[in-house]
Structure formats: structure tokens, C-alpha cells
Amino acid sequence: MALRNRILQIFESRRGEVLSGQQLADELNVSRNSVWKAVKSLQSEGYKILATTNKGYVLEKDNDIISEESLRAELGREYEGIEIITLKSTPSTNSEAMTRLMNGNISHGTLIVAEEQSQGRGRMGKTFFSPKSGIYMSVCLCKSIENLTDVMVITPAAAVAVRRSIEKYANVDSKIKWVNDIYIGKKKVCGILTQADIDFESGKAGTFIVGIGVNFVNQDFPDEIKDKACALFEKSPSGVTRSQIIAEIYSQLMRLTIDLKDRSFMREYKQYSMVVGKEITYRYSGQEKYGKVVDIDDDGALSVIEQDGNQRKLTCGEISIRSKDNEWI
């Protein structure tokens, strides 16, 4: 490991603590001048490292550069064996994961994070606005699953993981729009896209790529979404970093998906749903339908009473919700 990375590893594990040049030199068995050069290199990359004469260096607590070192410091020993890939820019973290999967270069728990995405994607072929300063991550779950209903709850599990993490670090009231979006009020703050690698001979799904995009701080959103999108924070928050939220989402998701037959998290998914009891529109067999959502079952299916009184279960698709103000969300 390069000296720069070794020093960054120490800074991230002791963020906010003043470390003298001599202390770092002794710990790493290098010269103080080598430490100084490595710190200068990190500062030139934008790391908020405060240098104080006769005291030493300190990585400020609000430093918000995502790195493997910052993520490992937040994840701790429980996940020390996972592969973490951090990218400055990529078309999308999911496409990066799928490429690695096709090349046989992926393992269970691999975490891929990017500072920005040039071709971020959502469901139904939609784009996902992905500028710098957002959270863009993909988690690889290598699980052989035969039961289709187990497959269907991976995205709800991710939604619960994100909602819990938002509550912990942003202290905002977020809701889940079936099946894969997180909203604050009437505006979307997070999108989730799960892709699966299917073995058509066995009919089993063996690897799942869960892509998660969160608007971290307010941006100049494009005109077509500026009235529909929001962020967790108006400006860069003090004391909260993207690495903290990414690590929390990751650890929550990994725990929730250990045993997909345990659907206890679906109670939370339903509790924080913004669709139960609401009127919705959706497309079925090429036709637009209207109905009222009466339930979400433990397999993630939406139970809808249609205008003619028939009850239908929706397992996939896209819906619009009628709000109290008679607006469609």
C-alpha cells in the first residue's frame, strides 16, 4: 500500500484527532519529510487536513471525500474482508458491477461507489440525475435463489435500509413509494435499481446488483425534475459525511438480506409506505387503470381495489399516487 493510502487510513480511523508528524513517521517507519509530502499530496486532492505548527495534522470531521479508507473506517471490522471499489466517475455503478460480473470479477458483498455517474439509470429505462456530491453506490449480493418471491423482496429490503439510514443521519421523515423510490414530502430523494444475473438453464438467480442513488445536497436540478426532486440537505452538513450514510445503508442492506425468507422488515416497508390507502393509476395489459391500494403483502405485492370492485395484485410496474391536494405524484 502506498504511503499516501497508509496515512489516509490512519487519518480516517482517527478523524478529528491531532496526529504529530513524528508520531505518524514512527508508526509508519518513514521519515517526517515523507509524511509531510504525503499530507501535501492529500491536501492537493481536496482533503481537509489542518496542519498546526508544533502540534501536527488533523483530518477535519466534515471532510467529505469518499475513499476506500473512509468507507472502511465507517464499516469497521465486521466487513473488513469485502472488496470496496471507489471511482471518480463512471457511466453507472450498476454497469460497472455488471461488467465485473461478466468478467468473473465480483464477490458477495462487493461495494462500488462513485463520485458521479455520467449515465445514471433508473427503472423503465429512465435516467437518474447523478452529478458530483451525490451518493451513488451498488452492492453485489451473490445468492442462489430459486423462489421468485424471495427475489421480489430485495428491492423492498434496500428501501428499508435507505429509509433507516436517512432517519439516522438526516433526521427527516421519509416515505417509500412502491416499489423502489424514497420520498421526502412530494419529492423524490432516492431511487433504487436492482438487476439480477439469471442462469436460464437452472432457472436460478445467482447474483443481484442493488444500485442506490441518493441526492445528498441540493443541486441545480434539470427543469424536468426540479419540481419533483429534493436532497437530504440544503448545503453540505456539519458532522455528516456521505461515507457515513453509504456505510449505514450497506450494513443495513447486508443484514436485511442474510435470510430473505425472514420478511419481518416488510412490516416496516408497509408502515412507511406512502401508497397504502391512496388512489393510484397504473398500466396493466397496455391500459391505464385506476384503483385504491389496500395492502402490501410480505412478498412486496401491491393489493389494489379497482373501480369495478375487482381486486388485483401488482408485483411490478410503475404507479402514480393521488395526493391530498389532488395532485399526481
Side-chain angles (χ1 to χ4, degrees):
M1 184 186 297
L3 180 59
R4 167 204 174 280
N5 298 89
R6 293 166 66 196
I7 287 179
L8 181 57
Q9 189 176 56
I10 294 172
F11 278 141
E12 289 288 4
S13 65
R14 293 150 77 175
R15 185 183 284 241
E17 181 181 339
V18 178
L19 303 168
S20 72
Q22 190 60 58
Q23 182 181 358
L24 289 167
D26 291 343
E27 191 167 335
L28 296 167
N29 195 29
V30 296
S31 68
R32 286 186 62 180
N33 188 54
S34 296
V35 169
W36 178 82
K37 287 180 178 179
V39 170
K40 282 294 184 183
S41 174
L42 289 168
Q43 288 173 327
S44 70
E45 294 173 30
Y47 284 90
K48 294 182 179 180
I49 301 173
L50 185 64
T52 306
T53 305
N54 298 326
K55 289 188 177 180
Y57 308 105
V58 57
L59 178 64
E60 297 184 41
K61 289 185 177 181
D62 62 349
N63 178 79
D64 195 29
I65 295 178
I66 299 171
S67 65
E68 179 181 347
E69 290 78 11
S70 68
L71 293 168
R72 290 201 184 279
E74 295 296 337
L75 286 167
R77 290 191 174 183
E78 183 178 0
Y79 299 108
E80 63 183 0
I82 68 163
E83 182 179 17
I84 297 177
I85 301 159
T86 57
L87 306 165
K88 291 295 183 184
S89 181
T90 186
S92 80
T93 55
N94 266 28
S95 65
E96 179 72 25
M98 292 301 290
T99 297
R100 289 173 179 268
L101 174 63
M102 294 302 103
N103 292 334
N105 189 25
I106 209 82
S107 57
H108 181 65
T110 295
L111 172 62
I112 301 175
V113 181
E115 285 281 351
E116 66 176 344
Q117 298 181 131
S118 58
Q119 298 173 29
R121 295 187 299 117
R123 293 178 71 246
M124 315 296 284
K126 294 183 177 180
T127 59
F128 187 88
F129 182 58
S130 313
K132 290 180 180 178
S133 80
I135 289 173
Y136 315 112
M137 60 186 287
S138 290
V139 181
C140 306
L141 304 174
C142 301
K143 305 170 75 69
S144 181
I145 299 177
E146 297 183 40
N147 189 343
L148 183 60
T149 58
D150 290 343
V151 173
M152 299 304 292
V153 297
I154 291 177
T155 299
V160 170
V162 172
R163 201 213 65 80
R164 287 179 180 179
S165 304
I166 287 175
E167 181 180 57
K168 178 175 180 178
Y169 284 105
N171 193 29
V172 294
D173 183 25
S174 61
K175 301 291 185 183
I176 302 169
K177 181 183 176 186
W178 185 86
V179 59
N180 67 322
D181 294 330
I182 309 296
Y183 273 65
I184 297 174
K186 299 177 184 177
K187 295 186 176 184
K188 179 177 173 178
V189 71
C190 168
I192 300 165
L193 176 64
T194 301
Q195 296 176 277
D197 174 44
I198 306 294
D199 184 337
F200 289 102
E201 289 187 7
S202 67
K204 296 180 182 179
T207 302
F208 300 86
I209 310 298
V210 183
I212 298 169
V214 183
N215 300 324
F216 186 67
V217 294
N218 258 333
Q219 300 281 341
D220 291 327
F221 293 109
D223 289 343
E224 62 268 24
I225 65 169
K226 67 180 181 182
D227 295 326
K228 302 176 183 178
C230 68
L232 293 181
F233 302 99
E234 285 295 320
K235 58 182 181 179
S236 295
S238 175
V240 178
T241 67
R242 288 174 295 165
S243 291
Q244 287 176 310
I245 296 178
I246 291 168
E248 184 68 21
I249 292 172
Y250 178 89
S251 58
Q252 290 283 353
L253 178 60
M254 294 301 287
R255 290 166 192 155
L256 289 172
T257 54
I258 289 174
D259 179 10
L260 291 171
K261 290 180 175 58
D262 177 5
R263 307 291 174 80
S264 56
F265 65 85
M266 287 303 299
R267 292 194 296 271
E268 190 172 338
Y269 183 85
K270 182 177 174 180
Q271 177 186 354
Y272 290 98
S273 168
M274 63 187 290
V275 305
V276 176
K278 299 292 180 61
E279 294 180 10
I280 66 168
T281 64
Y282 58 95
R283 295 196 69 81
Y284 188 83
S285 297
Q287 294 182 323
E288 188 172 71
K289 300 278 189 176
Y290 293 83
K292 183 176 181 179
V293 178
V294 293
D295 196 14
I296 300 175
D297 68 22
D298 282 351
D299 295 332
L302 212 60
S303 294
V304 180
I305 301 293
E306 297 181 335
Q307 287 179 310
D308 59 8
N310 289 330
Q311 185 164 344
R312 186 183 303 280
K313 279 197 173 185
L314 303 179
T315 57
C316 61
E318 189 167 359
I319 64 172
S320 294
I321 309 165
R322 190 193 296 274
S323 72
K324 291 181 180 178
D325 301 323
N326 205 32
E327 299 172 330
W328 290 102
I329 302 171

